[in-house]
């Protein structure tokens, strides 16, 4: 198959989130969903990192997930406490990224999507 070089690229990728099991103390539960990524170029990533590093140290933490916020464009399979689907918004993503198990799962999935194995 020939390589297709699109102007922009979006794709769905599975995300596994390992979080504390609410019903089994000391145990971990695996929950899964799919994230749609629209990756940024290496140049954009480098510029974003440089801009964050140029900030005063006390402001840098507020920007720790900027790359994920830029590349995550949709999700499916995410439900709320009422069991109903949660619509993807940048605000909902920012809230979810505040939970370390969620952000770890998304970072891991995004990293794997950038270097998939055949």
């Amino acid at each position: 198959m020939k390589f297709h070089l699109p102007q922009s690229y979006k794709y769905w990728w599975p995300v596994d989130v390992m979080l504390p099991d609410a019903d089994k103390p000391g145990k971990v539960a695996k929950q899964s969903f799919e994230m749609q990524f629209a990756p940024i170029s290496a140049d954009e990533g480098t510029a974003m990192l440089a801009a964050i590093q140029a900030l005063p140290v006390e402001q840098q933490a507020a920007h720790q997930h900027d790359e994920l916020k830029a590349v995550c464009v949709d999700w499916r399979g995410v439900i709320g406490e009422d069991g109903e689907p949660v619509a993807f918004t940048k605000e909902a993503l920012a809230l979810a990224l505040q939970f370390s198990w969620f952000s770890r799962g998304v970072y891991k999935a995004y990293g794997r999507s950038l270097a998939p194995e055949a």
Side-chain angles (χ1 to χ4, degrees):
M1 177 190 290
K2 293 182 180 181
F3 179 71
H4 176 246
L5 184 61
Q7 291 291 332
S8 63
Y9 194 68
K10 292 181 187 175
Y11 57 90
W12 290 98
W13 201 264
V15 178
D16 293 327
V17 177
M18 307 301 287
L19 66 156
D21 191 316
D23 299 320
K24 299 176 185 171
K27 300 294 180 184
V28 175
K30 177 180 170 182
Q31 297 181 2
S32 302
F33 69 98
E34 293 179 333
M35 183 70 78
Q36 186 178 41
F37 295 114
I40 58 176
S41 71
D43 289 344
E44 290 171 302
T46 299
M48 185 179 294
L49 181 59
I52 293 168
Q53 290 175 337
L55 294 171
V57 174
E58 62 274 4
Q59 292 178 16
Q60 291 180 13
H63 297 275
Q64 66 180 341
H65 302 304
D66 281 4
E67 182 174 3
L68 278 188
K69 291 175 184 176
V71 302
C72 295
V73 296
D74 201 359
W75 61 31
R76 56 187 177 200
V78 176
I79 58 171
E81 289 185 28
D82 59 1
E84 294 296 316
V86 174
F88 178 88
T89 64
K90 291 297 183 176
E91 293 78 18
L93 175 64
L95 179 63
L97 287 170
Q98 294 301 308
F99 295 96
S100 61
W101 50 80
F102 181 89
S103 60
R104 273 196 300 261
V106 177
Y107 275 112
K108 190 173 187 178
Y110 183 55
R112 286 183 175 166
S113 79
L114 294 177
E117 297 186 23

